[in-house]
């Protein structure tokens, strides 16, 4: 495995092909049920299926796996192997940084570059006007306007991440209001960060809060919808469980994203997952016996 420079990509494609092949087999079974419902195909949870979220989770898994393998190689004094694995880890981390920047807007260096470009272009614009080169000035004016729009959008997205308020937390079990399936939160964005084509399929514009609300990456219980696995769901379409959900929850990703479950039945996210989304550790409330005081406990 170490000899291949495309180790991470090959494994990601292999894992993804397993999921998609399973989905295709189950899809044929689900479509068959429509024949017995008057031939009418109703909207289902697949409209919120997110390949981008699935890829992000899989890349996160390979990062954890590589870190473990590096530590093992160092412990067994296999330094050449550790170096090769570290090179692969650098590639994975570069991919993760690009994903984060695409979601959260420009990085600090890119923002500085755009600011310098704006200053330079404005100086060129004034020079073109002074020299009566109005055609050049018109082109520069359009370029400046486009760059200002891009900078404003990136700044707004970055600000949204800094001031984000979420109704649900990592590892919390939730239920979909429309499709009814059980799921667990494994990621979150303050606004919809999917592509415009995905938002069109998911009817995001028809949501009461639109795209400017938190969206969550959720793992769907395979017993509720084995065809979905990973969905990207707006906050308004989720609800918390009324009582602690201690029932069984199965999904192929829970083993590396979570340590296990707490006393309330919610999942405990691994430290790296909390750090990725900058979320605090959650402590489930303690049910006190009747008449007991906190000091006595």
């Amino acid at each position: 495995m170490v000899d291949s420079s495309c180790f991470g990509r090959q494994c990601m494609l292999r894992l993804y092909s397993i999921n998609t092949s399973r989905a295709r087999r189950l899809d044929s079974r689900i479509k068959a049920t429509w024949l017995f419902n008057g031939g009418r195909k109703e909207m289902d949870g697949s409209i919120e299926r997110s390949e981008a979220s699935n890829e992000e989770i899989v890349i996160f898994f390979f990062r954890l796996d590589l870190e473990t393998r590096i530590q093992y190689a160092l412990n067994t004094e296999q330094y050449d192997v550790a170096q090769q694995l570290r090179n692969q880890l650098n590639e994975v981390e570069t991919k993760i940084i690009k994903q984060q920047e695409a979601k959260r807007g420009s990085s600090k260096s890119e923002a500085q570059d755009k600011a310098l470009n704006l200053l330079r272009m404005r100086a060129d614009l004034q020079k073109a006007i002074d020299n009566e080169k109005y055609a050049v000035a018109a082109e520069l004016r359009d370029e400046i306007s486009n760059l200002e729009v891009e900078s404003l959008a990136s700044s707004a997205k970055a600000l949204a991440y800094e001031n984000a308020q979420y109704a649900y937390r990592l590892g919390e079990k939730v239920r979909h209001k429309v499709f009814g399936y059980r799921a667990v939160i494994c990621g979150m964005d303050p606004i919809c960060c999917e592509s415009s084509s995905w938002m069109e399929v998911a009817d995001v514009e028809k949501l009461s809060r639109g795209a400017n609300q938190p969206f969550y990456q959720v793992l769907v219980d395979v017993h509720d919808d084995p065809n979905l696995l990973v969905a990207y769901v707006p906050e308004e379409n989720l609800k918390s469980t009324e009582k602690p959900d201690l029932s069984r929850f199965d999904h192929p990703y829970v083993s590396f994203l979570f340590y296990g479950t707490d006393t309330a039945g919610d999942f405990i996210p691994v430290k790296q997952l909390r750090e990725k989304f900058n979320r605090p550790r959650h402590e489930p409330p303690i049910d006190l016996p009747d008449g007991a005081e906190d000091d006595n406990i």
Side-chain angles (χ1 to χ4, degrees), residues 212-272:
N212 293 321
Q213 63 174 307
F215 275 68
Y216 297 85
Q217 297 174 356
V218 302
L219 307 181
V220 181
D221 190 344
V222 296
H223 300 292
D224 287 0
D225 192 339
N227 190 44
L228 190 50
L229 289 183
V230 179
Y232 195 57
V233 187
E235 188 171 85
E236 68 179 68
N237 281 353
L238 295 174
K239 62 180 180 179
S240 300
T241 56
E242 296 179 357
K243 298 179 180 180
D245 186 356
L246 302 177
S247 58
R248 179 173 177 174
F249 187 99
D250 287 325
H251 192 283
Y253 293 168
V254 296
S255 60
F256 65 85
L257 292 177
F258 306 103
Y259 291 122
T261 56
D262 57 25
T263 55
D266 292 325
F267 284 93
I268 305 171
V270 297
K271 179 182 177 182
Q272 295 89 334

Side-chain angles (χ1 to χ4, degrees), residues 11 13 25 28 39 60 118 125 129 194-195 214 222 226 258 274:
C11 291
L13 292 174
R25 291 196 303 270
S28 62
F60 177 77
L118 279 173
L125 173 62
I129 293 174
E194 267 285 2
S195 64
V222 296
F258 306 103
R274 288 191 291 105

Side-chain angles (χ1 to χ4, degrees), residues 115-167:
L116 291 174
N117 285 336
L118 279 173
L119 291 175
R120 178 184 56 80
M121 293 172 67
R122 285 169 180 156
D124 292 341
L125 173 62
Q126 186 59 49
K127 186 183 296 184
I129 293 174
D130 293 341
N131 294 331
E132 298 183 356
K133 296 181 179 180
Y134 301 116
V136 175
E139 293 179 359
L140 286 170
R141 189 181 296 110
D142 292 339
E143 292 180 12
I144 290 173
S145 298
N146 293 334
L147 189 57
E148 286 175 339
V149 170
E150 292 178 4
S151 299
L152 183 61
S154 297
S155 299
K157 187 178 289 187
L159 186 61
Y161 269 90
E162 292 179 3
N163 301 325
Q165 298 291 330
Y166 299 103

Side-chain angles (χ1 to χ4, degrees), residues 2 12 17 81 151 184 214 222 282:
V2 177
M12 183 174 70
S17 65
V81 173
S151 299
V184 59
V222 296
H282 172 71

Side-chain angles (χ1 to χ4, degrees), residues 13-32 34 46 49 51 225-229:
L13 292 174
R14 180 174 179 271
L15 180 58
Y16 181 73
S17 65
I18 292 173
N19 291 337
T20 53
S21 62
R22 180 188 300 172
R24 283 194 294 269
R25 291 196 303 270
L26 292 166
D27 186 54
S28 62
R29 291 164 52 191
I30 293 171
K31 287 180 179 178
W34 294 330
S46 64
R49 181 190 292 113
E51 295 181 7
D225 192 339
N227 190 44
L228 190 50
L229 289 183

